[in-house]
């Protein structure tokens, strides 16, 4: 059984989840960083060239601005992930949980407020593929209860 309270660990320097998950988190963070930089620095924020949204309409520049702001939020999330990867590895479960919730939220919002475009952007497909992988990675990132039974572990008395 996994230890769910480890999402907010007592010691954030020691990662106790499955080893493959930390490598997955690095790859995920690279993708999020790249995606955020595209939204920030591409002239159209990716709204037209990637998402297929017509920005040559009244208010089109507002869409570009919103995409760039979304890129900033993604870059901040990536920054938190990089901090976890480099310095506070035990926060990897929290990073994965945030990414899982963000993906599920994007899917839910996409269904309740769909874009009116010719074909879905790559992120629409990516979210549907990624959320189950994120769910498994999150679960596997949590330490096993048995691994916390050793003397010296913060959760020893729980």
């Amino acid at each position: 059984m996994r230890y769910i309270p480890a999402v907010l660990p007592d010691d954030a320097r020691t990662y106790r989840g499955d080893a493959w998950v930390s490598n997955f988190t690095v790859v995920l963070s690279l993708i999020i960083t790249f995606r955020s930089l595209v939204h920030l620095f591409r002239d159209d924020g990716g709204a037209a060239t990637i998402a297929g949204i017509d920005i040559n309409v009244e208010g089109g520049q507002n869409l570009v601005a919103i995409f760039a702001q979304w890129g900033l939020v993604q870059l901040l999330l990536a920054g938190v992930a990089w901090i976890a990867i480099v310095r506070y590895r035990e926060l990897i479960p929290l990073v994965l949980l945030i990414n899982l919730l963000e993906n599920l939220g994007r899917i839910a919002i996409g269904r309740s407020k769909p874009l009116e475009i010719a074909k879905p952007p790559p992120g629409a497909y990516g979210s549907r593929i990624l959320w189950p992988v994120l769910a498994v990675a999150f679960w596997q990132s949590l330490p096993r209860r048995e691994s916390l039974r050793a003397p010296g572990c913060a959760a020893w008395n729980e």
Side-chain angles (χ1 to χ4, degrees), residues 97-117:
L97 178 61
I98 290 168
N99 278 281
L100 174 61
L101 295 174
E102 190 259 345
N103 263 263
L104 292 173
R106 263 193 291 131
I107 291 169
I109 291 169
R111 287 188 178 172
S112 68
K113 298 178 182 188
L115 291 172
E116 294 183 19
I117 52 179

Side-chain angles (χ1 to χ4, degrees), residues 80-141:
V80 171
W82 288 115
I83 289 169
I85 291 164
V86 172
R87 178 88 166 114
Y88 300 104
R89 296 188 56 80
E90 195 66 18
L91 292 178
I92 287 175
L94 179 61
V95 166
L96 293 172
L97 178 61
I98 290 168
N99 278 281
L100 174 61
L101 295 174
E102 190 259 345
N103 263 263
L104 292 173
R106 263 193 291 131
I107 291 169
I109 291 169
R111 287 188 178 172
S112 68
K113 298 178 182 188
L115 291 172
E116 294 183 19
I117 52 179
K119 66 177 189 166
Y125 298 114
S127 293
R128 286 182 175 82
I129 294 168
L130 190 58
W131 83 260
V133 177
L134 277 167
V136 169
F138 166 66
W139 186 253
Q140 296 298 118
S141 73

